[in-house]
Amino acid sequence: MLKLENLSIAIGDKQILHDINLEIKDGEVHVLFGPNGTGKSTLIGAIMGFSRFKILSGKIYFKGEDVTDLPVDERARRGIGVMIQRPPTVKGLSVRQMTEICAGGKAADVAKLAEKMHLTNFLDRSVNEGFSGGEIKRSELLQLMAQQPDLLLLDEPESGVDLENIALVGAGVNHILERGFDGDQPAPLAKRRAGRKKSGLIITHTGHILRYVPADVAHIMYNGSLSCSGNPQEMLECIGNEGYEHCIQCRVQEAKA
Ligand code: ADP
Ligand code: MG
């Protein structure tokens, strides 16, 4: 689904990411951990193609095609969707209009999707204007449900979201990843694991989202490099108990051995 080859990214004159190699296969969900300011959002922005992230070297392949030089809208049409960390308010553009634009001609029953995300009463409000943290995330997911991307990039989907809303956010993510959506509740784990085709890359600090969306592989980003990969739950536990530096250390020692 996605392959990054020796990707180095700068913002202005400052190099943020160094030689990133990453492969996400069809149906896989990967999770990205890492301390603040280490370059996680930069990575997602670069994959989506936001112009402020300058590619110094390396390639981005999506579904086998080199998309390194394609603009954002072309990447979106090919099937990459993103939920950024702090989505802006768009005064004068209603959630309904935005969701219809995101559908890009695909069949999408906006009213039905809005009902699933408990956003029926939000459809005629301006995008994100006066929305709470959880409402913003649900509205972003509604747009992504209409877009139906094959690769879903999520930047801290649970930040600013209360526990009840996280379940709804998780259910929305499972809907987009086509892993079952039973009303407000996520489908049973076995059902969610079956028939996977769509892929995801999720940045999370707390790991709360992983209770609803099972991930296959986790990576730690440290100082702009992908330092190590492993089992998401084990890594989350290790980071919680020992901190990021410890996790990197075991990789450093592996390299020395
Ligand atoms: P993370 O998502 O891991 O917290 P980011 O990708 O948002 O990290 O940021 C990586 C680094 O890039 C940070 O040190 C941040 O300060 C820096 N950065 C972000 N925007 C700019 C900018 N416009 N100019 C210079 N540095 C920037
Ligand atoms: Mg970030």
Side-chain angles (χ1 to χ4, degrees):
M1 183 68 74
L2 179 77
K3 194 171 180 190
L4 306 179
E5 260 179 26
N6 302 106
L7 192 67
S8 293
I9 302 288
I11 303 175
D13 295 333
K14 187 178 166 194
Q15 183 169 355
I16 309 289
L17 299 181
H18 307 266
D19 258 336
I20 303 290
N21 289 289
L22 177 69
E23 190 171 348
I24 301 180
K25 298 203 168 79
D26 289 2
E28 282 183 353
V29 170
H30 289 222
V31 59
L32 188 58
F33 298 121
N36 291 326
T38 199
K40 303 181 299 299
S41 297
T42 301
L43 182 64
I44 275 191
I47 297 169
M48 192 68 233
F50 294 131
S51 56
R52 73 190 193 99
F53 303 110
K54 201 169 87 192
I55 297 175
L56 299 176
S57 59
K59 294 278 182 201
I60 302 170
Y61 296 96
F62 177 59
K63 295 183 193 166
E65 185 189 7
D66 183 351
V67 299
T68 317
D69 298 319
L70 287 185
V72 182
D73 59 321
E74 280 302 324
R75 296 187 202 196
R77 277 191 199 94
R78 279 167 170 73
I80 306 180
V82 71
M83 179 159 86
I84 57 172
Q85 220 169 343
R86 282 179 287 271
T89 296
V90 190
K91 274 193 186 185
L93 181 70
S94 71
V95 173
R96 186 193 308 278
Q97 289 168 320
M98 181 68 140
T99 308
E100 279 165 2
I101 292 166
C102 288
K106 284 181 197 156
D109 188 338
V110 174
K112 202 168 163 193
L113 294 176
E115 200 181 314
K116 282 182 177 173
M117 295 314 288
H118 295 191
L119 287 171
T120 302
N121 296 330
F122 288 69
L123 284 176
D124 295 313
R125 282 174 62 176
S126 285
V127 172
N128 296 335
E129 193 179 27
F131 288 19
S132 73
E135 288 161 358
I136 289 177
K137 303 288 175 185
R138 276 156 42 206
S139 159
E140 293 291 305
L141 284 172
L142 172 66
Q143 294 157 33
L144 285 161
M145 283 173 169
Q147 187 197 340
Q148 302 170 37
D150 295 318
L151 173 66
L152 180 62
L153 308 170
L154 299 175
D155 199 343
E156 299 193 30
E158 74 270 82
S159 75
V161 179
D162 64 45
L163 283 176
E164 251 174 67
N165 271 289
I166 288 180
L168 202 47
V169 165
V173 173
N174 283 324
H175 175 100
I176 296 161
L177 294 174
E178 295 179 347
R179 291 176 173 206
F181 185 116
D182 291 351
D184 294 347
Q185 296 301 316
L189 197 62
K191 196 169 159 193
R192 275 182 275 156
R193 285 194 189 283
R196 293 175 175 190
K197 285 198 189 74
K198 301 207 168 191
S199 309
L201 178 61
I202 306 177
I203 297 174
T204 174
H205 276 293
T206 61
H208 287 151
I209 191 74
L210 302 181
R211 281 195 279 139
Y212 303 94
V213 184
D216 303 290
V217 187
H219 312 274
I220 295 184
M221 181 174 275
Y222 204 78
N223 288 338
S225 299
L226 283 186
S227 297
C228 48
S229 308
N231 174 286
Q233 287 306 333
E234 282 173 16
M235 280 185 118
L236 189 61
E237 213 167 296
C238 171
I239 296 162
N241 293 335
E242 319 261 3
Y244 288 111
E245 281 217 46
H246 173 88
C247 288
I248 325 287
Q249 280 312 312
C250 64
R251 177 68 178 261
V252 171
Q253 275 157 17
E254 255 174 42
K256 276 185 194 158

